[in-house]
Amino acid sequence: MITKPIELPAIPNKNLMQHGAICNRTVLQDINTLVEAVPFTSVGRIQPFHINTTSSVTLLIDFHCHLTTNEVCGYLGGTWDFNSHNLMITNVFPMLNSRFDRDKSAECEYEIQKAMVEKNIQLVGWYHSHPRFSAQPTMRDCDKQLDYQIKLRGTSDATYTPCVGFIFSSYDDEEVENETKIMPFWVLPPPENRPNELGRPLLLNYSTQVDETLPYGIKEQMTACVNYYKQF
């Protein structure tokens, strides 16, 4: 179940900061500041679950992100196996609305929820683009990701579902290589005795299964994306 609509963030402060430099939050901090995401091993931890996806999933997200130089977002659907601690991302649901038609947001959310029910899959994450800047998360992204993690963790092991965030950087002006940068991330909650501290963004490793053919449903979604953005 989608618990809260994704809000597209403002243009971030491109100065990349280490978490230790901004962990003690103040009202004067710019929440659009980029925060360096680091490996789990750098904080003495291991990634708590495996992530698997398909080439069609990443293709559709990348395609969505390349249709506009404005930020885009969407949801990730899939399955969670508690016994193997394996999260499988099988479906992408682009949010086809923008600042030009914000009134469509509720309708988009409803259609995505309905599609997940029909496919018998769960909400397992979200994605958004950083069109012309780094794929590192902002302070706002960290807050949003942690909010999703808390809402999806449920009340017991039986209801727990991990939630992952993906950031796609499609037109980063500072990148020499003409290649999309993809960053999946998770946020380590702050200590209980420091609840106002910024959650620490951590890099996620994931595996991609290459599809032999492009599923018809992906083609339909790509066409829907094109039809939506060509009006602007």
Side-chain angles (χ1 to χ4, degrees):
M1 178 179 179
I2 298 172
T3 55
K4 188 176 182 180
I6 300 173
E7 297 177 2
L8 292 178
I11 297 175
N13 179 341
K14 291 187 177 183
N15 294 321
L16 182 63
M17 302 288 289
Q18 293 185 344
H19 177 269
I22 56 175
C23 61
N24 296 318
R25 308 187 66 163
T26 71
V27 294
L28 299 178
Q29 288 174 330
D30 181 358
I31 61 173
N32 295 308
T33 297
L34 293 169
V35 186
E36 183 182 15
V38 297
F40 278 80
T41 53
S42 69
V43 294
R45 293 173 178 263
I46 60 173
Q47 187 168 313
F49 47 83
H50 309 289
I51 304 173
N52 291 282
T53 187
T54 68
S55 56
S56 296
V57 164
T58 53
L59 172 63
L60 178 54
I61 300 175
D62 197 23
F63 184 78
H64 184 197
C65 295
H66 272 90
L67 290 175
T68 174
T69 53
N70 294 320
E71 294 189 11
V72 302
C73 61
Y75 293 104
L76 306 173
T79 58
W80 163 243
D81 188 327
F82 175 77
N83 293 321
S84 63
H85 280 211
N86 186 68
L87 186 71
M88 184 68 196
I89 303 172
T90 58
N91 293 82
V92 182
F93 301 92
M95 280 287 289
L96 298 183
N97 77 299
S98 67
R99 67 179 186 273
F100 302 109
D101 52 6
R102 294 186 186 278
D103 57 317
K104 286 187 59 180
S105 177
E107 180 184 345
C108 290
E109 297 279 344
Y110 173 74
E111 291 300 325
I112 291 173
Q113 288 184 16
K114 187 168 67 172
M116 287 190 181
V117 171
E118 291 173 351
K119 295 177 181 294
N120 194 30
I121 57 176
Q122 300 168 275
L123 174 66
V124 297
W126 65 298
Y127 72 88
H128 71 286
S129 67
H130 285 182
R132 294 192 178 279
F133 41 93
S134 169
Q136 296 283 348
T138 63
M139 291 178 66
R140 185 196 297 268
D141 294 337
C142 292
D143 288 341
K144 179 64 67 175
Q145 172 63 24
L146 186 56
D147 185 47
Y148 272 111
Q149 289 174 200
I150 292 171
K151 285 183 168 65
L152 267 66
R153 71 184 178 186
T155 56
S156 68
D157 289 345
T159 58
Y160 169 78
T161 303
C163 178
V164 297
F166 273 73
I167 302 174
F168 278 60
S169 176
S170 45
Y171 299 107
D172 187 354
D173 295 333
E174 298 180 3
E175 282 292 337
V176 177
E177 300 177 0
N178 187 21
E179 180 180 334
T180 299
K181 301 301 179 184
I182 304 173
M183 177 177 288
F185 75 108
W186 190 80
V187 171
L188 182 66
E192 291 186 2
N193 62 335
R194 299 196 298 273
N196 294 323
E197 184 176 297
L198 178 70
R200 182 187 291 268
L202 299 174
L203 295 169
L204 289 167
N205 292 317
Y206 69 105
S207 299
T208 302
Q209 174 184 322
V210 179
D211 294 317
E212 294 184 1
T213 60
L214 189 65
Y216 179 75
I218 296 292
K219 296 178 183 178
E220 283 190 319
Q221 288 178 293
M222 293 174 77
T223 300
C225 287
V226 169
N227 290 337
Y228 175 76
Y229 287 103
K230 71 181 182 182
Q231 65 183 303
F232 301 114

